[in-house]
Amino acid sequence: MKRLKVSFVAIIAIIMAVATSAFTAPGTGAAAKAENTYWFLMDASGHVTTTQVTDPSILCPLPGDGCAREYNQSQTQIVGGVRQVKPGEVDNEIASKAKE
């Protein structure tokens, strides 16, 4: 009788584990939430351009604003084959760099 109870409890535990994993959404971890980011150079007027750089450190070595800004992929869009910052996201950069 004791073996039957232990087996029954084990079966219930397995069923609960399977049921719980069935309702867990795949790809909800931190790795799935990571987005690509893009650096865009700024023009002399302080406007973000469509010119992208992979590492602005050489052109813009200092922390601050005025040289380049970094945005998440969701803050950008491709228009006419060119990636650009969405108009409503221009002031929501995740990082920025300055020249001086």
Side-chain angles (χ1 to χ4, degrees), residues 16-32:
M16 288 176 61
V18 169
T20 301
S21 66
F23 293 108
T24 302
T28 56

Side-chain angles (χ1 to χ4, degrees), residues 3-4 16 19-20 22 25 31 34 48 52 59 62 66-67 71 73 79 93 95 99-100:
R3 283 182 58 191
L4 182 61
M16 288 176 61
T20 301
V48 177
Q52 293 181 56
L59 295 170
L62 304 172
C67 184
Y71 296 89
Q73 182 173 349
V79 177
E93 72 273 4
K99 284 185 182 181
E100 305 174 38

Side-chain angles (χ1 to χ4, degrees), residues 61-84:
L62 304 172
D65 198 20
C67 184
R69 290 183 178 176
E70 184 180 27
Y71 296 89
N72 284 318
Q73 182 173 349
S74 61
Q75 295 175 295
T76 67
Q77 60 189 359
I78 298 176
V79 177
V82 178
R83 184 172 299 279
Q84 63 186 25

Side-chain angles (χ1 to χ4, degrees), residues 25-86:
T28 56
K33 292 181 182 179
E35 284 188 76
N36 289 335
T37 62
Y38 302 94
W39 282 97
F40 293 88
L41 294 179
M42 299 175 76
D43 63 17
S45 302
H47 297 98
V48 177
T49 68
T50 57
T51 305
Q52 293 181 56
V53 292
T54 52
D55 182 12
S57 296
I58 294 172
L59 295 170
C60 316
L62 304 172
D65 198 20
C67 184
R69 290 183 178 176
E70 184 180 27
Y71 296 89
N72 284 318
Q73 182 173 349
S74 61
Q75 295 175 295
T76 67
Q77 60 189 359
I78 298 176
V79 177
V82 178
R83 184 172 299 279
Q84 63 186 25
V85 179
K86 293 178 181 177

